[in-house]
Amino acid sequence: MEVSEPSPQPSTDATSRRKSGRAVQKPVLYQEDPRVSLSVNGSTKRKRSDGVPEGDDDANEESSGPEDESEPDEEELKEQRRRAKKPAQAKKPAAKKPKRSGEPGVTLAMRPATNGVKKASKARKPRTRIAGTNVADAEGTGLYAEVFLAENSTDDVATGWIERYNQNNAEAMCELINFVLKCSGCDLKVDVQDIEDPDNAASRLADLQDEFQAQKISDYPLAARVKSNFSRATMVDFFTSFVEAAHASELFYSDNDLYENIQIWVSGMSTSSSRPFRHTATVISLSIATAICGVIKEIVSTSAAALRQKEGEEKKKSVNRGRVATLKAKVEEQESKKEAAEAWLKDIYDTVFVHRYRDVDSKIRVDCAHAMGVWILACPDIFFDGTSLRYLGWLLSDTVATVRSEVVKQLLRLYKSKDSVGRLRAFTDRFRERMVEMATQDADISIRASMIELLDLIREMGLLEPDDIDTVGRMIFDTDPKVRRAVAGFFAENINDFLESAIEEIGGEEILNETLGDEAKDDFDNPRQAWLKLKCLSEVLESYDTENSREGTPDIGGLSLVDTGVDTRYSVAAGVVCDGVEEAREWEVISGYLLYDNSTTAHSRTNDDPMEAFKKRCLLSEKEERLLLEVLIAAVKYRLSEAVEAEKDKNKKQKVRKDEARTIQENTALHLASIIPRLLRKFGARPATASPVLRLGLLLDLEIFQELRQDSTEFASLLDDINRQFLSHADHGVLQDARDALLYARGFEDLEEVTETKLQELWDGTVTTLRQLIKAKTPQMTSLANTAHRIANLASISDCSEAFEQEPRASTNSRSHAPTKVLDILLDLIRGYSDVVDPDANSLVTNAMSAVQFYFMWQVQSIKTRAEAGEKVDSTPSTDDCIAALVGCADGRPKLDDVRLSALGHILDTYSLFATLRNTDSKDAATARILTNLAQEASSKAQQLALSSFAAAEKVFAKKARRALEATDEDLEQEPESEPEDSSEEEEEGDEEDQARRAQHKQQEQLMAEKRLCELTGKLVMAIIARVIDASGPTKGSLRKRIMRNKTKLGSNFKEVLAYLEDPKPKRGQKGKAKPAEAEPVKEKPAAKSAEIVAEDEEDEIEDVEEEPSAGNDDEESAAEESEPEREEVVNDDIEDSVMGD
């Protein structure tokens, strides 16, 4: 680079002096010379550097001012004497730099800006060094201080730099490159000679990189995790202001060396193997390119305005030739500037972006994706084409979520422009499949939600295929709520498209309006246009529902992966539909549509009548009715939430808010009370539709209902309808929903008497049915199983002691040998059908065991209540017959049979249940002894059966999960005979759909095996804590040791279950050892949440960059120990809460 001077004419003094043959340079000031340094003792005496050649004396003499040769002034002498009194601070000598020919080697004797040596700081704990954050750097001078430490704006700083560049371009360029190095965290600097030798820039950067990496700095400003003076936004603003100032001053176009030198150094740093250099240079290059885009936009605007003025002037009658020539020259000048700016922009695109968009550092890739989106919008004529858009398309497949997220964000900005449909068509066709895949299967939920929003814009442009629309629409049933909320708008617009087609089928919107006429506001029983949209909604939901099961969850071996009582896939989808479709929030309209009798329309053959055509089009199928019932429940919830929002509205007075909320609640309660019986009469015959209607009753506010209705006749009628559903259905879901409705009704004191009467009627009817089935000559297995199921459900919400112990009325034709009490009947059923292999028999035995278990729960609760009240407990229930029946049932079945596992669970729960009576406070000594005797240890037979089933479940899960168990010499476990072969060993044949189905089935089998193992292990852990198994005898502690053997080998769920058996750890700072578990039972902790697993993509360095040592490992280990949950000790009352959860 040639050095230019402000004045081209040489001075007379310069010509009279002896020429050295070298270019005359301006004296290097102290603040600008990177080689100036302060001596340790504070001396200001100037010394000649040993490395200066003799031929440079003239240059040195010229650069030495009169102030350098003068004696120290009075202030300097005082400063020297003050420092002489203090001991010199030891300082490590700086590494010597190799000298180059022509390099000035003097050290100027200038008074430091701080007026003395800095005071020694106090000793602190050593921390990891972060580049660019030390005190000396923060208090430095030069361009870095002007940008980040001074109060001047970046525009003023850029203008000042331009002025300095016009005075001495070499020194100004050196200052700018050192600023770039400083922003990357490097304290090393280049000098003027380096700037004047651009051919050696690559070698000089390599030297700086090696020296910088030798310092082993762990962080740099752009990626620093600590607060510093550096700001990325300020750095970007400075380079933006720099480009704008260079453009305004015409420097960019008059001095080509300006951009070329910047590009040589910055682009060279962008290819460095040092991440701080590469990242900082990339950000700077991209910011310069973004600023150039703004300049081009301004040039185009100015050129267009001048061209319009020129054309307008030429159209005048009297043309001003001079003005036309001036405007023409201006247009040509702007075009020339545009060509230069576009050339610079293309240079950055080719040398930086094309290589860095696939950089190993994900942060750099994010910056490139962001820059490309900005460039496309700023300069669409240059970048809005397939060549530039493809980089965003390729980054959609990036392995790092932040990169994909940034690309989706930029694509959203592009697709929101309605004028860009034509330019985006080819890009959409190329990457549409990948975008749909991201929306449905991306590992990051936020990206899925954003991509759904993007696909909605593509759908509005008409660039999305119908199959893709259905694929995205099916996510209304997704398990993640954020995805369902994101797809709500997409789904609603899809419904509108279906509605337009349906209206055209009927004859058009005009004919439809004439047919329906004016709709009455409160008339919900007659046809209205909203019914057609609800019909389209139900059709779309049905078409998107690909599951055939009732709950949409797998059912393997009689077990379900999703427990009862949770929202179904239909209910969660309906909740999202209400957010997107306005008609789905009008629950009165939905109820009127469902209750409308449309049976005659199905058989009508008239096609000319528009009303009949409308009714036929709105005819619902059975599945559509079920889906609309779920939407009805969601709409009622939405209306009740409006009451809550109205009460929280702070913009209204408190009385007004309460009145509005009260009005909504009253209207909802009155309307629900009137339509629920009607819905039950119409939809109660089918379990799929009866269940949602029963759940609708849980939304009825019975307190308001009681206040509005003085008598309880209507409420009693509603309970009668619920009882009929309970007695007429055998479906598990309907029985549970009816049970929940009855339990909900019992919660209101004013209506408790009516509810108890209806419950007693249910008990009488169910017990009578059971006795009649037992007396039959050929008892029907299915009826017995259904009756036992109803008894178990009733026993879970109502005290069954009286019903189970009551003797029936004497009958002349009754068999004398048959059991009479319900408890005896159930035990007899368990013993009689334990060996029968039949689904109905399995259901009968399982439900009978559950009913007996609830009976003992009510008994224990009654005993505790009486004992704590001071009453004498004379009689206690005997569990011998029950335990014997359960042990016999378990002993006759395979180790992993569902009935056997259920029997073992009830055995362990029964023993643990009575163990809770140990700590019951009783004032009567005899009662206390009775309660103590009720807590017994399980028989050895029961323990052996439980251990053998545990070992089998452990082995099966390990096989399906492909986990290795702890190897032992003992081989007590045998391969379960009833367990099917592992499907993972089958050949993978068939198409992709079959393989996906098999893979899903394998996963379901693995989950069910884990569920089976964890449930049985939980029962064993509870029994060990209650000291009813493994608590005495020569084998004491062996069972606990056995189940703990593979604690760390069978997954985190199994490990968390066994964590309750661990000894409590002493708190930090607490001396002494923790008490053993035998001395006092370990307290049950709350259910632990599973730890979040974050999988990070490993990134390799570009070259052999030495890995920095990690600091603070000991602190991390100690922090991990502190974060581990502490095990506390507990009493037996917590065991009772777990056993008697219902």
Side-chain angles (χ1 to χ4, degrees), residues 374-627:
V374 174
W375 297 349
I376 292 174
L377 291 176
C379 298
D381 295 337
I382 301 175
F383 293 105
F384 211 151
D385 55 14
T387 304
S388 300
L389 284 171
R390 62 179 179 174
Y391 293 105
L392 295 179
W394 290 336
L395 289 175
L396 286 174
S397 301
D398 198 280
T399 57
V400 180
T402 53
V403 181
R404 301 195 303 273
S405 177
E406 182 62 33
V407 175
V408 175
K409 188 184 303 181
Q410 297 306 320
L411 290 177
L412 279 170
R413 297 175 60 190
L414 297 179
Y415 277 94
K416 285 181 180 178
S417 176
K418 302 299 182 183
D419 300 332
S420 59
V421 179
R423 293 178 172 179
L424 289 171
R425 186 179 299 277
F427 173 81
T428 305
D429 293 339
R430 183 176 182 180
F431 295 100
R432 182 180 60 247
E433 184 178 351
R434 172 57 186 162
M435 289 189 284
V436 173
E437 182 183 9
M438 289 178 64
T440 55
Q441 300 179 12
D442 197 277
D444 191 278
I445 299 301
S446 301
I447 293 178
R448 293 183 62 190
S450 300
M451 184 55 74
I452 291 171
E453 182 182 356
L454 175 62
L455 291 175
D456 193 17
L457 297 175
I458 297 176
R459 184 197 58 78
E460 292 178 359
M461 293 180 176
L463 303 179
L464 203 60
E465 297 295 329
D467 293 341
D468 297 331
I469 294 176
D470 294 339
T471 301
V472 178
R474 288 189 184 94
M475 286 189 291
I476 198 74
F477 296 104
D478 196 87
T479 57
D480 192 275
K482 188 172 183 179
V483 175
R484 294 197 302 269
R485 288 194 296 268
V487 83
F490 185 97
F491 183 83
E493 294 300 328
N494 196 18
I495 297 299
N496 292 333
D497 295 340
F498 272 83
L499 178 62
E500 292 178 3
S501 302
I503 292 176
E504 292 298 327
E505 291 178 8
I506 296 176
E509 188 172 0
E510 184 176 354
I511 296 178
L512 182 63
N513 293 333
E514 293 177 359
T515 302
L516 298 177
D518 297 333
E519 299 176 352
K521 183 178 180 181
D522 298 331
D523 186 11
F524 304 113
D525 296 331
N526 292 321
R528 53 175 58 204
Q529 189 171 350
W531 289 11
L532 188 59
K533 190 167 187 178
L534 292 174
K535 169 63 177 178
C536 295
L537 170 63
S538 60
E539 286 179 346
V540 173
L541 285 175
E542 184 182 11
S543 64
Y544 287 168
D545 179 30
T546 57
E547 299 290 338
N548 296 323
S549 61
R550 180 178 180 275
E551 299 293 336
T553 57
D555 187 9
I556 302 174
L559 299 176
S560 176
L561 287 174
V562 179
D563 196 6
T564 54
V566 299
D567 291 337
T568 63
R569 60 195 308 269
Y570 297 132
S571 60
V572 296
V576 178
V577 168
C578 289
D579 296 335
V581 182
E582 182 179 358
E583 287 79 2
R585 297 193 288 266
E586 300 175 358
W587 72 275
E588 297 95 339
V589 176
I590 300 175
S591 62
Y593 181 29
L594 287 168
L595 291 172
Y596 185 76
D597 187 8
N598 210 6
S599 57
T600 58
T601 306
H603 305 287
S604 177
R605 298 182 180 180
T606 304
N607 297 324
D608 299 334
D609 189 0
M611 178 59 74
E612 291 297 325
F614 175 80
K615 292 180 180 180
K616 185 175 293 186
R617 183 65 181 82
C618 294
L619 193 63
L620 294 170
S621 64
E622 292 184 357
K623 189 169 184 179
E624 290 173 353
E625 290 175 344
R626 177 191 176 183
L627 291 170

Side-chain angles (χ1 to χ4, degrees), residues 32-91:
E32 298 173 341
D33 192 348
R35 296 172 304 283
V36 66
S37 62
L38 295 177
S39 61
V40 176
N41 58 3
S43 176
T44 59
K45 183 177 180 180
R46 179 170 58 90
K47 294 183 180 181
R48 182 182 299 272
S49 176
D50 296 334
V52 180
E54 294 181 359
D56 291 344
D57 291 345
D58 293 313
N60 293 335
E61 289 176 2
E62 291 175 2
S63 63
S64 302
E67 184 179 351
D68 299 332
E69 300 174 357
S70 62
E71 296 295 331
D73 56 13
E74 182 178 359
E75 183 179 358
E76 290 179 340
L77 294 175
K78 290 181 180 180
E79 180 64 21
Q80 293 177 8
R81 288 194 294 271
R82 183 165 54 252
R83 291 199 301 265
K85 296 179 182 180
K86 300 180 181 179
Q89 183 179 358
K91 183 176 180 181

Side-chain angles (χ1 to χ4, degrees), residues 930-971:
I930 293 174
L931 297 181
T932 303
N933 293 332
L934 286 175
Q936 300 177 0
E937 188 173 358
S939 63
S940 59
K941 179 67 173 177
Q943 297 187 44
Q944 291 175 2
L945 292 173
L947 180 58
S948 62
S949 292
F950 169 79
E954 189 180 51
K955 179 177 271 189
V956 169
F957 173 62
K959 181 179 179 181
K960 292 186 179 297
R962 301 182 183 276
R963 297 175 181 267
L965 297 177
E966 189 73 23
T968 59
D969 296 335
E970 301 176 358
D971 190 13

Side-chain angles (χ1 to χ4, degrees), residues 2-19:
E2 298 181 357
V3 180
S4 62
E5 293 295 335
S7 176
Q9 300 296 331
S11 62
T12 57
D13 295 338
T15 57
S16 62
R17 288 199 299 264
R18 179 170 54 90
K19 299 296 183 179

Side-chain angles (χ1 to χ4, degrees), residues 199-215:
D199 296 335
N200 195 41
S203 177
R204 179 60 178 149
L205 282 175
D207 295 339
L208 290 173
Q209 171 187 306
D210 296 339
E211 191 172 352
F212 178 61
Q213 289 182 345
Q215 299 175 5

